[in-house]
Amino acid sequence: MMKFALLILIALFGVSFASNDEGPITAQTVQKVGAKAYVYNPLLLGTNGTQKTDGGSRQQRMVGQWPALAGQGISQTVFTLEPCAMRPAHVHPRATGLLYMISGAKFMVGYVTEDGTPVNNEISTGASALFPIGLVHYQQNLDCFDATYVISYNHEDPGTQMTYASLQQLPAAAVAATLGVNTTGYSNLLSASPKGIFIKSSDPECVARCQLAPAKSGATVSAASVSG
Ligand SMILES: *[C@@H]1O[C@H](CO)[C@@H](O)[C@H](O)[C@H]1NC(C)=O
Ligand SMILES: *[C@@H]1O[C@H](CO)[C@@H](O)[C@H](O)[C@H]1NC(C)=O
């Protein structure tokens, strides 16, 4: 039990890794932090290990959650997306992502190249998909069953900038002009703007086909579509 508590402490605070950020893992390192520091099981952390929200859940395995990744240039997140839910448009400023589809069908992945070309694909179980560093991208489950996938990143702390939420931090007049709407139009968009890490019922055709309860506000769905 003591050992378990110690492991949790190391996992949460990672004090022992501070002096080892850049260096190789050596016999001394392993002796200092213990072999168990090199595995990470979010299930042992109970609800702390999984972010469950409307539309899906996420288990991040980044340096913040798993200090052993410090200096290793790699990290991972495991996702479950509910039927018709999506992971809205976002950017990782420090990493390229490589998705592996554990289980799913009718699963949309896409990004936009730096010169504006859309790269959209439908994938299913066993496929991989690339999301290049710094480019706006999304995932959307258009199947009537949960989709499960893992994304690995070539940075221990990839960072995530949500595209639509970020845009909203600019002056309203600047955003309204960017979107080509007047201030009334922009405040309507803002009031319908989705807030979470996932968007539930993101596609009306999917919701009808899968016979799900429609989203509470139709406006939420169209605002989400505007973001990308
Ligand atoms: C979850 O996090 C809280 C707050 O940091 C902590 O008190 C609790 O012990 C954690 N639970 C587990 C199972 O690690
Ligand atoms: C804002 O734009 C909408 C839609 O184009 C239009 O119906 C409305 O009259 C405009 N409002 C103002 C104050 O210009």
Side-chain angles (χ1 to χ4, degrees):
M1 206 53 219
M2 273 302 286
K3 226 170 159 186
F4 179 73
L6 188 65
L7 178 62
I8 298 285
L9 270 181
I10 290 174
L12 289 178
F13 302 107
V15 203
S16 313
F17 289 93
S19 61
N20 189 46
D21 275 4
E22 306 300 333
I25 293 166
T26 62
Q28 284 93 333
T29 324
V30 176
Q31 195 177 26
K32 196 162 106 189
V33 301
K36 282 198 163 63
Y38 296 96
V39 294
Y40 179 75
N41 185 350
L43 300 181
L44 296 181
L45 297 172
T47 50
N48 293 349
T50 303
Q51 292 170 278
K52 170 105 188 69
T53 73
D54 251 12
S57 66
R58 167 170 86 171
Q59 292 173 339
Q60 292 182 306
R61 298 121 196 264
M62 291 164 180
V63 71
Q65 291 79 30
W66 190 8
L69 296 185
Q72 299 301 317
I74 197 161
S75 60
Q76 209 169 48
T77 301
V78 179
F79 295 90
T80 299
L81 259 192
E82 292 169 9
C84 309
M86 78 178 285
R87 174 93 177 106
H90 62 281
V91 164
H92 302 295
R94 289 181 293 279
T96 288
L98 188 58
L99 179 152
Y100 174 73
M101 197 77 214
I102 297 169
S103 166
K106 286 185 184 298
F107 190 81
M108 296 301 301
V109 291
Y111 65 88
V112 181
T113 66
E114 66 178 88
D115 55 354
T117 299
V119 180
N120 287 301
N121 283 290
E122 183 183 312
I123 62 169
S124 57
T125 303
S128 291
L130 183 72
F131 302 107
I133 184 171
L135 300 184
V136 179
H137 62 281
Y138 76 100
Q139 295 105 35
Q140 188 172 30
N141 180 16
L142 296 182
D143 195 23
C144 304
F145 300 93
D146 282 359
T148 310
Y149 57 102
V150 54
I151 303 181
S152 299
Y153 307 91
N154 62 347
H155 196 288
E156 62 259 33
D157 181 20
T160 300
Q161 186 186 50
M162 300 307 292
T163 304
Y164 192 40
S166 299
L167 200 55
Q168 290 168 20
Q169 297 308 310
L170 300 175
V175 184
T178 301
L179 297 176
V181 296
N182 58 32
T183 48
T184 314
Y186 183 51
S187 38
N188 290 343
L189 276 180
L190 274 184
S191 64
S193 137
K195 302 282 185 285
I197 54 179
F198 302 111
I199 298 173
K200 201 181 161 79
S201 304
S202 64
D203 181 272
E205 184 279 327
C206 179
V207 169
R209 176 168 39 81
C210 298
Q211 299 184 305
L212 304 180
K216 282 195 192 85
S217 148
T220 301
V221 174
S222 46
S225 309
V226 168
S227 79

